[in-house]
Amino acid sequence: MSKLLNPKTERLSWDETFMNLALLVAKRAACRFYEVGAVFVDENKRVISLGYNGPTEGDYHCIDVGCAKIDGDPKTGKLKKCRGAHAEINGIINAQDTRRLRGATLYTTLTPCYDCMKALNNAGIKEIVYFKKYERIKTGGKETEIEDESWELAQKRNIKMRKYEGKVLLDVETDRFVCSEC
């Protein structure tokens, strides 16, 4: 039998596994300002669905033509609403059968906006584990705002909101892996 030079003595917790997966999935985002990843997990710790933010199928990618809210329409220059579908909505769509989401936990890199929180409530999500708080970019890009309505709805519907406090294996600012033990 061979000897292991560095025998493994521990492994990632479920929270660490799913949040790091959300951080990695977020790297698929096409938004110039937010990289958001969402991982939906059932009560048996099985991944139901993944989602990330980006334009709807066939639409312009912001990293290619600019943000509609800040840079405007690529043809007219007129400021418009965001072209992106949020990670949570894409994750709900990717689940294919939304009944699978009832009672699930969402691991997300940003807290949901109010529109996403309404969809998550209707899907029956019981818990949301988040990495950072979301601040909506206002049209023109000069200001942001927090959507208190998301937190109010979560509290009203008993959706547990919990800040992630575990290991991070991917430095989200530099895209470099940071775990020396991995």
Side-chain angles (χ1 to χ4, degrees):
M1 178 150 83
S2 72
K3 289 186 177 182
L4 296 175
L5 296 177
N6 292 312
K8 187 174 182 174
T9 59
E10 62 181 62
R11 62 185 184 158
L12 294 177
S13 70
W14 286 116
D15 269 2
E16 291 167 336
T17 300
F18 298 131
M19 184 56 74
N20 279 282
L21 182 55
L23 290 165
L24 185 61
V25 167
K27 295 300 178 183
R28 285 281 308 149
C31 178
R32 291 172 43 204
F33 300 98
Y34 289 118
E35 292 181 329
V36 185
V39 177
F40 293 86
V41 179
D42 71 15
E43 63 276 354
N44 294 314
K45 308 297 185 205
R46 294 187 185 113
V47 174
I48 300 168
S49 183
L50 306 173
Y52 57 88
N53 61 316
T56 59
E57 189 173 334
D59 205 349
Y60 295 116
H61 284 242
C62 299
I63 57 175
D64 295 334
V65 299
C67 175
K69 288 173 70 172
I70 296 171
D71 305 309
D73 183 275
K75 293 181 180 172
T76 67
K78 180 180 176 184
L79 294 182
K80 293 188 171 184
K81 288 189 167 209
C82 175
R83 289 184 288 270
H86 290 188
E88 301 90 337
I89 299 302
N90 283 327
I92 290 170
I93 292 166
N94 291 340
Q96 296 182 352
D97 182 352
T98 57
R99 292 175 294 186
R100 297 174 61 209
L101 296 171
R102 189 142 308 273
T105 298
L106 167 63
Y107 288 83
T108 182
T109 57
L110 288 180
T111 54
C113 73
Y114 185 48
D115 287 336
C116 287
M117 183 60 84
K118 292 183 281 187
L120 294 167
N121 176 53
N122 283 351
I125 301 302
K126 70 171 183 178
E127 181 177 14
I128 298 169
V129 182
Y130 66 93
F131 189 69
K132 290 183 182 177
K133 287 186 180 178
Y134 168 69
E135 291 187 23
R136 179 178 46 218
I137 298 171
K138 291 186 174 184
T139 301
K142 293 182 177 27
E143 297 177 22
T144 62
E145 64 185 344
I146 293 192
E147 296 185 356
D148 293 328
E149 299 91 349
S150 296
W151 294 86
E152 292 166 4
L153 180 57
Q155 186 175 22
K156 181 178 180 181
R157 298 296 299 145
N158 294 317
I159 300 170
K160 184 177 177 183
M161 297 278 287
R162 177 167 57 90
K163 172 117 175 69
Y164 175 71
E165 300 291 343
K167 288 181 188 176
V168 175
L169 305 180
L170 177 67
D171 183 329
V172 293
E173 303 299 323
T174 66
D175 292 345
R176 298 184 197 281
F177 288 101
V178 294
C179 181
S180 60
E181 304 151 14
C182 301

